[in-house]
Amino acid sequence: MPARRPPPSTRPVGAATRGTTNPNRLRRMDRWIAAVHGPALRRCAAPVAVDLGYGAAPWTAVELLHRLRAAEPRTQVVGIEIEPTRVEAARTYERSGLRFVHGGFEVPLPDPSVRPSVIRAANVLRQYDEEAVAAVWERLCARLAPGGLLVEGTCDEIGRRHVWVALGPEGPRTVTFAARLGSLDRPSDLAERLPKALIHRNVPGEPVHAFLRDFDRAWAAAAPYASLGARQRWIRAVRDVCGDWPVRGTGADGLRRWRQGEVTVDWSALAPRST
């Protein structure tokens, strides 16, 4: 006799993804979360971070715990997966501060009274329709603790190229482009890793297309800096696009992020035009 399916009210919200993952795949996103959101974690009475849709193996949740605890040692991490077999397999990796639970976009936590300070959803919405993104964002943001952060984005299989959107309870705030600079011919190579909300908008007339076009032009103009290394060329190109685009962190903090191969732009400047 086939197993009985749970009633609709108890089924996880969402659909299973392919679940592909690799160790260190999300290091760029983790590094950014720890640096940018670390002060907020330290202000929390009991900071909890969620690795939503960690995939067929729990490496990314284990790594998230390690990286966020470097910023705030009290951080707890909960890995959430919609496939029960993945949850059972991951439980052998549980330790103090790390738990795995079955669920989806409803973001169930072991303590129902807790709301997460961080939800990281990497390579999850890539397999959904663009029209589904806004509702998922709204649902996830509603689960955040006050001052919480949702980070949703896409990267390649080994984490060399990554683009993510950062959202608060009020909605989207910024878009961050991050790369191993030696892997890029030009900044627009990152277009293939745009999150679902933007990847189909990389066409003439859309802001994200215009930004990547201008970034490529700045990269070309910064070619003389290539003799000093890809990092110096990237920094020069970012400085140039700051004149026309609202790049976050143009002081010393911003320079540290640029040196990591990152640039963060206000969401309002890149948001898709209404259709």
Side-chain angles (χ1 to χ4, degrees):
M1 178 180 296
R4 294 179 61 189
R5 301 182 72 181
S9 60
T10 62
R11 286 187 211 139
V13 178
T17 61
R18 290 188 294 271
T20 53
T21 189
N22 283 300
N24 244 356
R25 187 181 187 188
L26 302 182
R27 61 194 179 278
R28 300 181 192 282
M29 182 183 276
D30 291 352
R31 185 171 59 200
W32 184 88
I33 293 171
V36 172
H37 200 59
L41 291 175
R42 291 189 284 273
R43 290 192 296 268
C44 290
V48 174
V50 168
D51 185 8
L52 182 63
Y54 57 83
W59 320 131
T60 59
V62 174
E63 292 165 353
L64 183 64
L65 177 70
H66 173 74
R67 290 166 182 150
L68 292 189
R69 283 200 160 180
E72 171 45 66
R74 298 174 299 120
T75 303
Q76 309 284 310
V77 170
V78 179
I80 296 177
E81 244 300 328
I82 202 166
E83 282 283 357
T85 56
R86 296 174 184 172
V87 178
E88 289 305 313
R91 288 208 166 116
T92 60
Y93 292 84
E94 290 189 338
R95 63 185 74 172
S96 176
L98 179 62
R99 296 289 179 268
F100 295 95
V101 301
H102 179 221
F105 296 138
E106 74 280 11
V107 191
L109 295 181
D111 182 348
S113 67
V114 171
R115 297 170 69 185
S117 304
V118 176
I119 299 174
R120 185 188 66 186
N123 304 300
V124 173
L125 294 184
R126 183 81 167 184
Q127 298 169 53
Y128 284 73
D129 292 335
E130 181 184 354
E131 293 74 18
V133 171
V136 173
W137 279 359
E138 184 177 3
R139 177 185 283 272
L140 295 179
C141 286
R143 289 288 290 125
L144 291 171
L149 185 73
L150 165 63
V151 182
E152 186 272 308
T154 305
C155 68
D156 67 2
E157 289 74 13
I158 57 175
R160 295 171 304 172
R161 302 176 183 181
H162 208 154
V163 187
W164 60 80
V165 181
L167 306 94
E170 78 287 357
R173 297 171 177 170
T174 60
V175 183
T176 297
F177 301 80
R180 180 181 179 275
L181 297 179
S183 74
L184 292 182
D185 288 329
R186 59 186 63 84
S188 62
D189 290 350
L190 286 161
E192 65 184 17
R193 298 301 163 182
L194 287 167
K196 195 67 179 190
L198 294 173
I199 193 165
H200 299 301
R201 303 306 183 111
N202 185 32
V203 294
E206 288 284 348
V208 70
H209 181 272
F211 172 74
L212 290 171
R213 177 203 62 205
D214 290 354
F215 204 176
D216 277 355
R217 289 173 177 170
W219 178 258
Y225 289 81
S227 62
L228 303 175
R231 179 178 294 173
Q232 292 304 316
R233 185 178 184 181
W234 175 269
I235 291 171
R236 179 68 258 176
V238 173
R239 289 192 189 280
D240 285 349
V241 297
C242 285
D244 297 310
W245 295 89
V247 173
R248 289 285 183 102
T250 55
D253 288 343
L255 180 59
R256 280 192 286 270
R257 307 294 350 135
W258 301 348
R259 287 179 61 83
Q260 298 290 339
E262 298 172 7
V263 61
T264 297
V265 184
D266 286 349
W267 166 260
S268 59
L270 302 185
R273 297 191 187 281
S274 299
T275 56

